[in-house]
């Protein structure tokens, strides 16, 4: 299941969605890493990205590191920023709430 924000839907240029564990149904026959990969593909395609590589993810570390797509090469951090409209950002959360911030003009 992909949940969307009507407030963010109103911003031109923003593709967004929040998945739930329900969205990853039918993946139980796959290993843990395979499940994550397939779930990531499903979420990316459901919000309009043709290739899962268009969506950048990082491993959350409960710190203060901000990773900028296209500038930083780190794979760990707590915030992920992209100014490239062809690249999406994604986070996986457990005990933290995800926050999505966008400019009013969709950039």
């Amino acid at each position: 299941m992909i949940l969307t924000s009507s407030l963010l839907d109103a911003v031109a240029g923003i593709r967004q969605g929040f998945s739930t564990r329900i969205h990853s149904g039918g993946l139980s026959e796959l290993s843990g890493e395979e499940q994550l990969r397939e779930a990531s593909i499903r979420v990316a395609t459901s919000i309009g990205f043709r290739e899962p590589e268009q969506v950048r993810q990082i491993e959350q570390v409960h710190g203060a590191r901000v990773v900028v797509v296209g500038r930083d090469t780190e794979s760990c951090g707590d915030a992920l920023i992209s100014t490239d409209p062809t690249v999406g950002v994604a986070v996986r959360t457990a005990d933290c709430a995800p926050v999505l911030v966008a400019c009013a003009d969709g950039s």
Side-chain angles (χ1 to χ4, degrees):
M1 173 183 296
I2 300 293
L3 306 172
T4 60
S5 163
S6 59
L7 294 173
L8 292 171
D9 281 341
V11 179
I14 299 294
R15 291 181 277 181
Q16 49 87 27
F18 300 85
S19 71
T20 67
R21 288 186 181 262
I22 296 169
H23 187 68
S24 59
L27 301 179
S28 59
E29 70 280 0
L30 302 174
S31 72
E33 282 299 314
E34 290 171 320
Q35 283 181 350
L36 287 175
R37 172 109 174 109
E38 182 59 29
S40 295
I41 291 169
R42 290 181 185 188
V43 170
T45 56
S46 71
I47 61 172
F49 289 97
R50 292 190 180 129
E51 301 294 329
E53 292 76 23
Q54 289 177 280
V55 179
R56 176 83 187 275
Q57 295 186 51
I58 56 173
E59 180 181 341
Q60 187 181 29
V61 294
H62 299 285
R65 175 80 180 124
V66 176
V67 176
V68 179
V69 174
R71 184 187 79 191
D72 300 325
T73 58
E74 289 85 355
S75 60
C76 298
D78 288 290
L80 188 57
I81 297 173
S82 174
T83 58
D84 182 344
T86 67
V87 176
V89 296
V91 296
R92 279 193 304 269
T93 64
D95 59 346
C96 298
V99 176
L100 177 60
V101 178
C103 292
D105 67 0
S107 63

